Amino acid sequence: MNKAAILSLGLTTIVGLSMGVGSLLSFFIKETNKRFLAIALSFSAGIMIYVSFMAMLPESMELIESYFGDRRGHLIALMGFFGGMLITAAVEKLVHKFGGHYHGHGNHHHGPNDEHLSKLGIMSAVAIAIHNLPEGLAIFTAGLKDISVAVPIAAAVILHNIPLSIAISVPIYYSTGSKKKAFLYPLFVGLCQPLGAIIGYLILSQFFNDLVFGILFSIVGGIMIFVSLDELLPSSQRYENHHVSVYGAIAGMIVMALSMSIFHHH
């Protein structure tokens, strides 16, 4: 690995570690604060939905269209997008079939809701981990070309890592009561970013092209939309008046829109 690669990997690792920040923030909130939980969940959903439609999907269309032309490229991107949703729906079915026992023991005072919450934390963790792999790779490859391009992308990713990590740590903290778990889960998920960079560098650098990236982006976009609509928003509404959820989601979109326009990368 040359100097640029080491620099990029360092940058990607810092970005990954920022996943720990959100979980630390979530500890300062009183355990019983259902309103915070509702807002955090819907805020994460707003962020994911906005990122999927405004960044992931357009980016993926652009990349795929450069290979297949406008119409076919557009179609392939959409197939990836809805394919991502179908994959997640299938995974959900499996999780519900076999799962249900992610539970920390000895928490008898926790209701059945908590079981759902811990499952939600795990689902978010899985979705975000998958989403972090190409993201880490994106920062890394941008850094290989030009570190000054990678820095604003990294800054934008750090900004949305923080609420994403809250999406993992809050449900896990509320359901298990364990600060350690609530801190470690998002951290491991964050480390998928440098991991994605390393894996991508080793395996894909031979035949890594914009097409692979484009298809990845469209699939991840679909995954994020599905998790938001199927898990994050309904869970958020369970804890609070549904208007609060809607405002949380809109706030998430606004924050994401601002961070994307400040660090506009194309």
Coordinates of all heavy atoms in Angstrom, one line a residue, residues 86-125:
L86 N -36.5 -6.1 -2.0 CA -37.0 -7.5 -2.0 C -36.0 -8.3 -1.1 O -36.4 -9.1 -0.3 CB -37.1 -8.0 -3.4 CG -38.2 -7.5 -4.2 CD1 -38.1 -8.0 -5.7 CD2 -39.6 -7.9 -3.6
I87 N -34.7 -8.1 -1.3 CA -33.7 -8.8 -0.5 C -34.0 -8.5 1.0 O -34.0 -9.5 1.8 CB -32.3 -8.3 -0.9 CG1 -31.9 -8.7 -2.3 CG2 -31.2 -8.9 0.1 CD1 -30.7 -8.0 -2.9
T88 N -34.2 -7.3 1.3 CA -34.4 -6.9 2.7 C -35.7 -7.6 3.3 O -35.7 -8.1 4.4 CB -34.5 -5.4 2.9 OG1 -33.5 -4.8 2.0 CG2 -34.1 -5.0 4.3
A89 N -36.7 -7.6 2.4 CA -38.0 -8.2 2.8 C -37.7 -9.6 3.1 O -38.2 -10.2 4.1 CB -39.0 -8.0 1.8
A90 N -37.0 -10.3 2.3 CA -36.7 -11.7 2.5 C -35.9 -12.0 3.7 O -36.2 -12.9 4.5 CB -35.9 -12.3 1.2
V91 N -34.9 -11.1 4.0 CA -34.0 -11.2 5.2 C -34.9 -11.0 6.4 O -34.8 -11.8 7.4 CB -32.9 -10.2 5.2 CG1 -32.2 -10.1 6.5 CG2 -31.9 -10.5 4.1
E92 N -35.8 -10.0 6.3 CA -36.8 -9.8 7.4 C -37.6 -11.0 7.8 O -37.7 -11.4 8.9 CB -37.8 -8.7 6.9 CG -37.4 -7.3 7.2 CD -37.9 -6.9 8.5 OE1 -37.3 -7.3 9.5 OE2 -38.8 -6.1 8.5
K93 N -38.1 -11.7 6.7 CA -38.9 -12.9 6.9 C -38.1 -13.9 7.7 O -38.5 -14.6 8.6 CB -39.3 -13.4 5.6 CG -40.5 -12.7 4.9 CD -41.8 -13.5 5.2 CE -43.0 -12.8 4.5 NZ -43.3 -11.5 5.1
L94 N -36.8 -14.1 7.2 CA -35.9 -15.1 7.9 C -35.7 -14.7 9.3 O -35.7 -15.6 10.2 CB -34.6 -15.2 7.1 CG -34.7 -15.9 5.7 CD1 -33.3 -15.7 5.0 CD2 -35.0 -17.3 5.9
V95 N -35.4 -13.4 9.5 CA -35.1 -12.9 10.9 C -36.3 -13.2 11.8 O -36.1 -13.7 12.9 CB -34.8 -11.4 10.9 CG1 -34.7 -10.9 12.3 CG2 -33.4 -11.2 10.2
H96 N -37.5 -13.0 11.3 CA -38.7 -13.2 12.1 C -38.9 -14.7 12.3 O -39.4 -15.1 13.4 CB -39.9 -12.5 11.5 CG -39.9 -11.0 11.7 ND1 -39.8 -10.4 12.9 CD2 -39.9 -10.0 10.8 CE1 -39.8 -9.1 12.8 NE2 -39.8 -8.8 11.5
K97 N -38.5 -15.5 11.3 CA -38.8 -16.9 11.4 C -37.9 -17.5 12.5 O -38.3 -18.3 13.4 CB -38.6 -17.5 10.1 CG -39.2 -18.9 10.0 CD -39.1 -19.4 8.5 CE -39.6 -20.8 8.4 NZ -39.4 -21.4 7.1
F98 N -36.6 -17.2 12.4 CA -35.6 -17.9 13.2 C -35.3 -17.0 14.5 O -34.8 -17.5 15.5 CB -34.3 -18.2 12.5 CG -34.5 -19.1 11.3 CD1 -34.4 -18.6 10.0 CD2 -34.9 -20.4 11.5 CE1 -34.6 -19.4 8.9 CE2 -35.1 -21.2 10.4 CZ -35.0 -20.7 9.1
G99 N -35.4 -15.7 14.3 CA -35.0 -14.8 15.3 C -35.9 -14.7 16.4 O -36.8 -15.5 16.7
G100 N -35.8 -13.6 17.1 CA -36.7 -13.3 18.2 C -36.0 -13.6 19.5 O -36.5 -13.3 20.6
H101 N -34.8 -14.1 19.5 CA -34.0 -14.3 20.7 C -32.7 -13.6 20.7 O -31.7 -14.3 20.9 CB -33.9 -15.8 21.0 CG -35.3 -16.4 21.1 ND1 -36.2 -16.1 22.1 CD2 -35.9 -17.3 20.3 CE1 -37.3 -16.8 21.9 NE2 -37.1 -17.5 20.8
Y102 N -32.7 -12.4 20.3 CA -31.5 -11.6 20.4 C -31.3 -11.1 21.8 O -30.6 -10.1 22.0 CB -31.5 -10.4 19.5 CG -31.7 -10.6 18.1 CD1 -32.7 -10.2 17.4 CD2 -30.6 -11.3 17.4 CE1 -32.8 -10.4 16.0 CE2 -30.7 -11.6 16.1 CZ -31.8 -11.1 15.4 OH -31.9 -11.4 14.1
H103 N -32.1 -11.6 22.8 CA -32.3 -10.9 24.0 C -31.2 -11.1 25.1 O -30.8 -12.2 25.3 CB -33.7 -11.2 24.5 CG -34.4 -10.1 25.1 ND1 -34.4 -8.9 24.4 CD2 -35.0 -9.8 26.2 CE1 -35.1 -8.0 25.0 NE2 -35.5 -8.6 26.2
G104 N -30.9 -10.0 25.7 CA -30.0 -10.1 26.9 C -30.7 -10.7 28.0 O -31.9 -10.5 28.1
H105 N -30.1 -11.6 28.7 CA -30.8 -12.3 29.8 C -30.9 -11.5 31.1 O -30.1 -10.5 31.2 CB -30.1 -13.6 30.1 CG -30.2 -14.5 28.9 ND1 -31.4 -15.0 28.3 CD2 -29.2 -15.0 28.1 CE1 -31.1 -15.7 27.3 NE2 -29.8 -15.7 27.1
G106 N -31.8 -11.9 32.0 CA -31.9 -11.2 33.3 C -32.6 -9.9 33.2 O -32.5 -9.2 34.2
N107 N -33.3 -9.6 32.1 CA -34.0 -8.3 32.1 C -35.5 -8.6 32.2 O -36.2 -8.4 31.3 CB -33.7 -7.6 30.8 CG -32.3 -7.1 30.7 OD1 -31.7 -6.8 31.7 ND2 -31.7 -7.1 29.5
H108 N -35.9 -9.1 33.4 CA -37.3 -9.5 33.5 C -38.3 -8.4 33.5 O -39.4 -8.5 33.1 CB -37.5 -10.4 34.7 CG -36.6 -11.6 34.7 ND1 -36.7 -12.5 33.7 CD2 -35.6 -12.0 35.5 CE1 -35.8 -13.5 33.9 NE2 -35.1 -13.1 35.0
H109 N -37.8 -7.2 33.9 CA -38.7 -6.1 33.9 C -39.0 -5.5 32.6 O -39.8 -4.5 32.5 CB -38.2 -5.0 34.9 CG -36.9 -4.4 34.4 ND1 -35.7 -5.1 34.6 CD2 -36.5 -3.3 33.8 CE1 -34.7 -4.4 34.1 NE2 -35.2 -3.2 33.6
H110 N -38.3 -6.0 31.5 CA -38.6 -5.4 30.2 C -39.7 -6.1 29.5 O -39.9 -7.3 29.6 CB -37.3 -5.6 29.3 CG -36.2 -4.7 29.7 ND1 -36.4 -3.3 29.7 CD2 -35.0 -4.9 30.2 CE1 -35.3 -2.7 30.1 NE2 -34.4 -3.7 30.4
G111 N -40.6 -5.3 28.9 CA -41.8 -5.9 28.2 C -41.4 -6.5 26.9 O -40.3 -6.4 26.4
P112 N -42.4 -7.0 26.2 CA -42.2 -7.6 24.9 C -41.8 -6.6 23.8 O -41.2 -6.9 22.8 CB -43.6 -8.2 24.5 CG -44.6 -7.5 25.4 CD -43.8 -7.1 26.7
N113 N -42.2 -5.4 24.1 CA -41.8 -4.3 23.2 C -40.3 -4.2 23.0 O -39.8 -3.8 22.0 CB -42.2 -2.9 23.8 CG -43.3 -2.3 22.9 OD1 -43.5 -2.8 21.8 ND2 -43.9 -1.3 23.4
D114 N -39.6 -4.6 24.1 CA -38.1 -4.4 24.1 C -37.5 -5.4 23.2 O -36.5 -5.2 22.6 CB -37.6 -4.6 25.5 CG -38.1 -3.5 26.4 OD1 -37.9 -2.4 26.0 OD2 -38.7 -3.8 27.4
E115 N -38.2 -6.6 23.1 CA -37.7 -7.6 22.2 C -37.7 -7.1 20.8 O -36.8 -7.2 20.0 CB -38.6 -8.8 22.3 CG -38.1 -9.9 21.4 CD -38.2 -11.3 22.2 OE1 -38.1 -11.3 23.4 OE2 -38.2 -12.3 21.5
H116 N -38.8 -6.4 20.5 CA -39.0 -5.8 19.1 C -37.9 -4.8 18.9 O -37.3 -4.6 17.9 CB -40.4 -5.2 19.0 CG -40.5 -4.5 17.6 ND1 -40.3 -3.2 17.5 CD2 -40.7 -5.0 16.4 CE1 -40.5 -2.8 16.2 NE2 -40.7 -3.9 15.6
L117 N -37.7 -4.0 20.0 CA -36.7 -2.9 19.9 C -35.3 -3.5 19.7 O -34.5 -2.9 18.9 CB -36.6 -2.1 21.2 CG -37.3 -0.8 21.3 CD1 -37.0 -0.1 22.6 CD2 -37.0 0.1 20.1
S118 N -34.9 -4.5 20.3 CA -33.6 -5.0 20.1 C -33.4 -5.6 18.7 O -32.4 -5.5 18.1 CB -33.2 -6.1 21.2 OG -33.9 -7.2 21.0
K119 N -34.5 -6.2 18.2 CA -34.5 -6.7 16.9 C -34.3 -5.5 15.9 O -33.6 -5.7 14.9 CB -35.9 -7.4 16.6 CG -35.8 -8.5 15.6 CD -37.1 -9.2 15.4 CE -37.3 -10.2 16.5 NZ -38.6 -10.9 16.2
L120 N -35.0 -4.5 16.2 CA -34.9 -3.3 15.4 C -33.5 -2.8 15.3 O -32.9 -2.4 14.3 CB -35.8 -2.2 15.9 CG -35.7 -0.8 15.3 CD1 -36.2 -0.9 13.8 CD2 -36.6 0.2 16.0
G121 N -32.8 -2.7 16.5 CA -31.4 -2.3 16.6 C -30.6 -3.2 15.7 O -29.7 -2.7 15.0
I122 N -30.8 -4.5 15.8 CA -30.0 -5.4 15.0 C -30.3 -5.2 13.5 O -29.3 -5.1 12.7 CB -30.3 -6.9 15.3 CG1 -30.3 -7.1 16.8 CG2 -29.5 -7.8 14.6 CD1 -29.0 -7.6 17.4
M123 N -31.5 -5.1 13.1 CA -31.9 -4.8 11.7 C -31.2 -3.6 11.2 O -30.6 -3.5 10.1 CB -33.4 -4.7 11.5 CG -34.2 -6.0 11.5 SD -33.7 -7.0 10.1 CE -34.2 -6.0 8.7
S124 N -31.3 -2.5 12.0 CA -30.7 -1.2 11.6 C -29.2 -1.5 11.5 O -28.5 -1.0 10.5 CB -30.9 -0.1 12.6 OG -32.3 0.2 12.6
A125 N -28.6 -2.2 12.4 CA -27.2 -2.4 12.4 C -26.7 -3.1 11.1 O -25.8 -2.8 10.5 CB -26.7 -3.2 13.6

